[in-house]
Amino acid sequence: MEIVYVYVKKRSEFGKQCNFSDRQAELNIDIPPNPELAEQFVERNPVDKGIQCSTSMSEHEANTERFEMETRGINHVEGGWPKDVNPLELEQTIRFRKKVEKDENYINTIMQLGSIMEHCIKQNNAIDIYQEYFDDEDAVEVTEEAPSAKTINVFRDPQEIKRSATHLSWHPDGNRKLAVAYSCLNFQRAPEGMSHESYIWDLENPNKPEIVLKPSSPLVTLEYNPKDSHVLLGGCYNGQLACWDTRKGSLVAELSTIEFSHRDPVYGSIWLQSKTGTECFSASTDGQVMWWDIRKMSEPTEVVILDITRKEQLESALGAISLEFESTLPTKFMVGTEQGIVISCNRKAKTSAEKIVCTFSGHHGPIYALQRNPFYPKNFLTVGDWTARIWSEDSRESSIMWTKYHMAYLTDGAWSPVRPAVFFTTKMDGTLDIWDFVFKHCEPALSLKVCDEALFCLRVQDNGCFIACGSQLGTTTLLEVSNGLCTLQRNEKNTASSIFERETRREKILEARHREMRLKEKGKVEGKEEDQREEEPILTLEELVTKAEEEFFDIIFTELKKKEVEAMKKSKPDLKADEEVEGEDQGEEEAAHVETPT
């Protein structure tokens, strides 16, 4: 490619015109050699000179502009109709279709396209490109690779005033999006000007959230509807329950009335298994669990008061922190309380008192995570205080397995959806622990330092390969675990089942033994009390007063005697020392008498 640049200038600005002509060469100066100067030169032999063999290169740095992506939706409207046809009028469109179908060009075009389509359909019928050839093979045991995890992406809170990431929820279709709820849980310590917004992130674009959710109060929980991926349920800090439809925008689609909502922040919200897919329930530290239908959010359909005394009094109710509902057990749900007790409830019970079936107590503080094992629903995981515990519904007095007491407080936990023996926990020191109790019981299989601040929540993707962790400063870290931690091992289901059954039997034996010991102790105490009652005669008030006075003076006299004995013991060593000194003086005098001559 030839690059030409034309210079434009006026003729008057060039000056006088130059006239060139040919002529013979002329010698103007001739300088002959000077021998005296030649004597001053010194011959240098040998000569050293450095030569660079490689090509010389220079380094340059440049800051390129970040490529920003933005996702926009388009609403398709039916078009292509002639101007004289109204697409909203059914009769006009039918009349126009019939007119087009009678056209010869239309028939020829359909025949040509039909032959091509028929060829493609025959190809699909002949070969199934989605056929799985190795379905019957057992899962490959992956034991050679050491457990590991790596950071894939980081999603930071775009607001200047940072808030904690309090809850995470994966998109149910494809898991390519992540909904994050942001709020400040420090009571009456929220900074001024703090935003109430929460976000939905696209995993491939961490620079900008895909959708902004704008609630009236900061969101504590946020959950995707498993049946409709456009609908989200959020629990607000002021106790209200909000519902979004992403097709309608960022604003709240449905909101519960403040009069019939919770009195405290909604710490737990979960979707129920129903035909309509619109039923859910929420829990809060005000001691209530409420059932809702998002089609009519004016008031809850039912309320359960978590009073384990079964008096249905809100003053003595236990505050709820976490919820668990398993679709395979549609009549049961579980509540983790801030008093460290797990309450198992029955949805179909007639009265509110009958809905509380049993309790499991074992934690010293709030239960931040509660989840049933996806393979064995009878066993469930709880995370609270400094430990994570695994329970069995058959053993109510104590957990069947538990982790050691950590130095840092545990904040959240979850089972692996693909491996029955693997679960995850987060801690206040920013560490993610991955436990595999088939591999080892005492320590986590992998402990990973995710960030310097505290981790508040975690959520595992459905395929078990990706884990999202939310921190105190609103940073959500996406981690990918190694194949060994997200691939079902050979005979792992049988091994996990045998471990659960063995530990449950052990706990039942210990419970029976403790029961026997308690009954024996109770019998002994009751026998002693009865004996004392039989021995003690019935005394009048005057006799009791005189008896008390006698006991009082007896105590005083015994104390005085003790003091006298101690004083005598102190004086005896002094007397012994004086006697020894006198004995030595007498011995010296006798020796002097013996030495003197008579």
Side-chain angles (χ1 to χ4, degrees):
M1 180 180 176
E2 185 180 0
I3 299 173
V4 179
Y5 187 79
V6 181
Y7 292 89
V8 180
K9 201 173 185 181
K10 292 182 179 179
R11 176 67 190 84
S12 59
E13 295 177 359
F14 279 100
K16 187 179 178 182
Q17 186 177 2
C18 298
N19 294 322
F20 298 100
S21 59
D22 295 333
R23 63 177 182 177
Q24 296 292 326
E26 295 179 1
L27 181 63
N28 293 325
I29 299 173
D30 184 12
I31 302 174
N34 190 354
E36 294 178 356
L37 293 174
E39 292 176 356
Q40 296 179 6
F41 283 88
V42 178
E43 184 180 2
R44 190 169 63 175
N45 187 16
V47 179
D48 295 331
K49 188 173 183 181
I51 297 172
Q52 184 73 21
C53 298
S54 61
T55 56
S56 58
M57 302 175 70
S58 61
E59 183 182 355
H60 296 277
E61 295 180 358
N63 289 327
T64 57
E65 292 185 4
R66 179 177 287 177
F67 178 70
E68 295 184 359
M69 297 175 62
E70 186 174 350
T71 306
R72 294 189 179 184
I74 297 173
N75 290 328
H76 174 71
V77 180
E78 187 178 359
W81 297 96
K83 291 183 179 180
D84 56 342
V85 176
N86 185 5
L88 301 177
E89 292 290 336
L90 185 62
E91 294 181 0
Q92 294 184 19
T93 55
I94 292 172
R95 196 182 301 118
F96 182 76
R97 283 197 186 96
K98 288 181 178 178
K99 181 182 175 182
V100 171
E101 289 171 0
K102 292 178 181 178
D103 193 358
E104 293 182 0
N105 292 329
Y106 173 78
I107 296 170
N108 294 331
T109 305
I110 292 296
M111 292 297 292
Q112 290 175 4
L113 294 174
S115 60
I116 298 169
M117 180 60 96
E118 185 181 2
H119 176 69
C120 295
I121 291 171
K122 286 180 178 179
Q123 280 185 336
N124 288 340
N125 292 337
I127 301 171
D128 184 8
I129 61 173
Y130 300 107
Q131 183 180 357
E132 293 286 345
Y133 292 97
F134 308 106
D135 277 344
D136 299 333
E137 284 198 355
D138 295 334
V140 180
E141 187 173 1
V142 184
T143 54
E144 296 179 0
E145 184 184 5
S148 61
K150 59 181 179 180
T151 302
I152 299 296
N153 229 330
V154 177
F155 306 93
R156 303 186 187 279
D157 184 8
Q159 298 293 331
E160 293 182 2
I161 301 174
K162 300 302 178 186
R163 307 155 295 162
S164 301
T166 54
H167 200 82
L168 307 170
S169 180
W170 287 99
H171 193 277
D173 298 335
N175 294 322
R176 302 308 303 167
K177 297 176 185 177
L178 184 66
V180 186
Y182 297 89
S183 64
C184 178
L185 297 179
N186 295 328
F187 181 64
Q188 293 185 346
R189 293 182 186 175
E192 293 184 4
M194 188 187 77
S195 175
H196 294 176
E197 295 177 353
S198 293
Y199 306 109
I200 298 175
W201 296 88
D202 188 344
L203 300 188
E204 296 179 356
N205 183 20
N207 302 322
K208 186 179 179 182
E210 186 182 61
I211 300 174
V212 180
L213 303 178
K214 298 179 179 179
S216 58
S217 177
L219 291 180
V220 182
T221 62
L222 188 61
E223 287 287 347
Y224 268 108
N225 189 336
K227 285 194 173 183
D228 188 354
S229 59
H230 299 286
V231 178
L232 292 100
L233 178 70
C236 300
Y237 190 79
N238 64 352
Q240 288 180 292
L241 211 66
C243 186
W244 280 267
D245 190 338
T246 54
R247 293 166 293 192
K248 296 181 180 179
S250 300
L251 298 177
V252 177
E254 297 289 340
L255 184 67
S256 65
T257 54
I258 195 73
E259 294 85 2
F260 296 101
S261 301
H262 291 282
R263 303 178 183 180
D264 290 347
V266 180
Y267 288 104
S269 61
I270 199 165
W271 292 95
L272 295 175
Q273 186 78 12
S274 60
K275 294 179 181 179
T276 59
T278 58
E279 294 181 13
C280 58
F281 66 105
S282 62
S284 172
T285 50
D286 62 355
Q288 298 180 95
V289 177
M290 298 182 177
W291 272 264
W292 303 86
D293 192 331
I294 60 172
R295 294 173 297 182
K296 40 183 179 180
M297 296 276 285
S298 58
E299 59 179 305
T301 56
E302 194 174 349
V303 179
V304 175
I305 298 173
L306 299 174
D307 185 4
I308 57 176
T309 60
R310 291 179 172 81
K311 294 180 181 178
E312 298 187 27
Q313 293 182 358
L314 198 59
E315 292 77 12
S316 58
L318 303 181
I321 292 288
S322 53
L323 283 173
E324 166 59 22
F325 175 78
E326 176 61 39
S327 57
T328 57
L329 303 170
T331 60
K332 294 182 179 180
F333 70 95
M334 304 183 82
V335 184
T337 64
E338 59 182 348
Q339 287 80 11
I341 298 172
V342 177
I343 303 175
S344 179
C345 303
N346 184 7
R347 288 179 62 196
K348 301 299 182 181
K350 295 180 180 179
T351 63
S352 182
E354 291 177 358
K355 288 189 175 180
I356 297 174
V357 178
C358 61
T359 59
F360 304 84
S361 58
H363 285 282
H364 307 296
I367 297 174
Y368 292 112
L370 172 62
Q371 186 184 9
R372 290 184 184 271
N373 190 296
F375 296 88
Y376 304 103
K378 273 193 172 183
N379 302 100
F380 56 93
L381 171 73
T382 59
V383 173
D385 53 66
W386 299 271
T387 59
R389 295 176 178 269
I390 299 173
W391 303 75
S392 173
E393 287 187 343
D394 299 332
S395 176
R396 298 180 181 179
E397 292 191 9
S398 64
S399 55
I400 59 172
M401 297 168 66
W402 55 88
T403 64
K404 64 179 182 180
Y405 278 82
H406 297 275
M407 297 299 292
Y409 212 73
L410 269 65
T411 54
D412 203 356
W415 286 104
S416 170
V418 293
R419 289 193 57 189
V422 174
F423 64 93
F424 310 88
T425 58
T426 53
K427 295 189 290 188
M428 288 289 283
D429 59 358
T431 305
L432 169 69
D433 288 337
I434 304 176
W435 296 82
D436 184 356
F437 57 79
V438 170
F439 180 56
K440 56 174 148 180
H441 280 221
C442 302
E443 294 179 355
L446 178 64
S447 188
L448 190 68
K449 182 76 173 177
V450 178
C451 56
D452 294 329
E453 65 266 18
L455 291 177
F456 273 10
C457 56
L458 76 90
R459 205 65 178 266
V460 188
Q461 205 179 29
D462 290 340
N463 58 12
C465 295
F466 296 99
I467 307 167
C469 303
S471 74
Q472 189 176 8
L473 298 180
T475 303
T476 305
T477 307
L478 183 64
L479 301 162
E480 182 181 9
V481 298
S482 58
N483 289 329
L485 292 171
C486 60
T487 306
L488 187 65
Q489 307 292 302
R490 186 174 298 162
N491 296 326
E492 184 178 356
K493 287 185 179 180
N494 297 331
T495 306
S497 176
S498 62
I499 290 173
F500 286 145
E501 290 175 2
R502 183 193 68 201
E503 296 299 322
T504 304
R505 284 197 303 270
R506 184 179 65 83
E507 283 301 321
K508 283 182 178 179
I509 293 167
L510 291 174
E511 285 176 13
R513 178 64 179 157
H514 284 307
R515 249 186 249 111
E516 289 178 7
M517 292 173 65
R518 283 199 296 268
L519 288 171
K520 285 181 181 178
E521 290 178 0
K522 189 177 180 182
K524 288 180 181 178
V525 171
E526 288 177 355
K528 287 180 180 178
E529 288 179 355
E530 289 177 0
D531 294 339
Q532 287 177 0
R533 287 171 187 169
E534 290 175 359
E535 291 174 0
E536 290 179 0
I538 299 170
L539 302 174
T540 61
L541 182 61
E542 294 178 357
E543 290 175 346
L544 289 172
V545 171
T546 54
K547 187 177 179 182
E549 288 178 354
E550 289 175 359
E551 289 177 356
F552 174 72
F553 287 117
D554 289 340
I555 292 168
I556 291 172
F557 289 138
T558 52
E559 289 293 329
L560 290 172
K561 285 180 181 179
K562 284 181 183 179
K563 288 180 180 179
E564 289 176 1
V565 171
E566 288 175 0
M568 291 291 291
K569 286 180 181 179
K570 288 180 182 179
S571 61
K572 280 181 180 180
D574 297 336
L575 293 171
K576 286 181 180 179
D578 294 338
E579 288 175 359
E580 288 175 1
V581 171
E582 289 176 359
E584 288 175 1
D585 293 340
Q586 289 176 0
E588 288 175 0
E589 289 176 0
E590 289 175 358
H593 286 301
V594 170
E595 290 174 1
T596 307
T598 54

